Amino acid sequence: MSDFDPNRRQLLKASTVAVGGVAAAAGLMQTAEAAAVAQPAIPATPVLMSILLRVNGAEHQLMVDPRTTLLDALRDRLHLTGSKKGCDQGQCGACTVLIDGRRVTSCLTLAVMQEGHDITTIEGLGTPTSLHPLQAAFVKHDGFQCGFCTPGQICSAVGMLQELREGAPSHVTGDLNAAVQASPLEFRERMSGNLCRCGAYSNIQEAIAEVAGVKR
Ligand code: FES
Ligand code: FES
C-alpha cells in the first residue's frame, strides 16, 4: 500500500481549491482582454484634417484636430477673439456666432462640421466706423458693463430678430396660429440663453427693443 492515502474529505478540499484557482485565472484573462479591446491605441501624433472655413466673408484653409470646436478654431487659429469662452459647455451663450444666419453656440459645434457654411462673428457684423444697428444700440443704451457677454448677446440678438421676422414661435408665444409679435416678453424668453454676469439685462432689453421698434 502507498504512503499517500488521502481520505475523501481531503480530496474534495484539494479539488475545490484547484477549480477556484483556474476560474480566477480565467476571470483575470477575460478582464485583461476586455481592457485591451476598450482602449484603442493612441496615435503617436495627432490626426489632422484640412478644412476650409468661411468666416466674415474670408476663406481660411486650416489643418485641425477633428475634435477642435469652432470656438477654439476661431479664437486660437484665426485670432478672432471677439467670441468668448465663458463655460465651454453650451450654458452661457458668450460664444454665440451666426452660421448661415442662425445663432449657434460655437463651443458646441466642431470646426470640421462647418465647412461650406457662412460663419459670422462679432468682428464681421460691423466696423468701428460703421457699427451694426444692434452694436450702436448697445452703446447708446449702455447694454454692457464688463463686455464679456456682449459679442454673444449681439450675435444672438441678430439671429433672434431674424427668427421673429420669420414668425418662429417661442415658449411664451400665446397663439401659435397668429403672427408672432415682437415684445419685451418675447425678447426676454428668446435671449434667455445668453447670460450676463454683470446683470446688464434691462439695458440689453432696451437696446434690442429700439432696434426692433418695440416700446418697452
Ligand atoms: S462658452 Fe459656449 S455657451 Fe458658454
Ligand atoms: S456685461 Fe459683463 S457679463 Fe455681461
Side-chain angles (χ1 to χ4, degrees):
M1 184 172 169
S2 150
D3 290 345
F4 180 66
D5 186 18
N7 61 31
R8 187 165 172 268
R9 183 182 299 274
Q10 285 169 325
L11 266 174
L12 276 173
K13 262 191 189 170
S15 56
T16 305
V17 170
V19 169
V22 170
L28 278 175
M29 282 174 66
Q30 280 177 350
T31 308
E33 279 170 13
V37 169
Q39 294 177 10
I42 298 170
T45 52
V47 178
L48 299 180
M49 282 181 68
S50 172
I51 57 167
L52 186 68
L53 282 187
R54 198 160 54 244
V55 185
N56 300 332
E59 295 196 324
H60 304 270
Q61 191 82 47
L62 295 176
M63 293 295 289
V64 294
D65 183 318
R67 297 166 297 180
T68 307
T69 63
L70 177 61
L71 176 61
D72 284 343
L74 291 172
R75 289 181 56 83
D76 300 341
R77 304 296 304 281
L78 301 182
H79 308 297
L80 294 169
T81 53
S83 308
K84 298 294 187 275
K85 185 183 283 190
C87 65
D88 209 19
Q89 54 185 355
Q91 293 185 348
C92 71
C95 65
T96 305
V97 299
L98 297 161
I99 299 179
D100 298 332
R102 301 281 178 210
R103 50 191 175 153
V104 171
T105 43
S106 60
C107 70
L108 289 189
T109 186
L110 298 174
V112 293
M113 295 166 64
Q114 302 310 332
E115 256 201 327
H117 296 280
D118 278 311
I119 301 158
T120 305
T121 68
I122 190 69
E123 292 91 342
L125 277 183
T127 66
T129 53
S130 175
L131 295 177
H132 183 281
L134 270 163
Q135 290 172 319
F138 267 63
V139 172
K140 178 179 169 188
H141 291 275
D142 246 352
F144 47 82
Q145 288 181 38
C146 76
F148 189 83
C149 72
T150 313
Q153 298 276 4
I154 292 178
C155 285
S156 189
V158 171
M160 182 272 290
L161 290 178
Q162 182 59 28
E163 289 160 22
L164 268 174
R165 280 192 286 273
E166 292 170 359
S170 79
H171 181 64
V172 297
T173 305
D175 184 352
L176 296 182
N177 294 315
V180 182
Q181 298 298 320
S183 69
L185 183 63
E186 288 282 359
F187 298 151
R188 276 199 294 277
E189 165 62 19
R190 291 165 190 262
M191 293 296 293
S192 60
N194 288 83
L195 306 184
C196 174
R197 278 160 282 198
C198 298
Y201 294 113
S202 61
N203 295 17
I204 291 170
Q205 288 289 313
E206 281 176 13
I208 293 173
E210 178 179 296
V211 173
V214 170
K215 280 204 169 30
R216 294 194 80 231

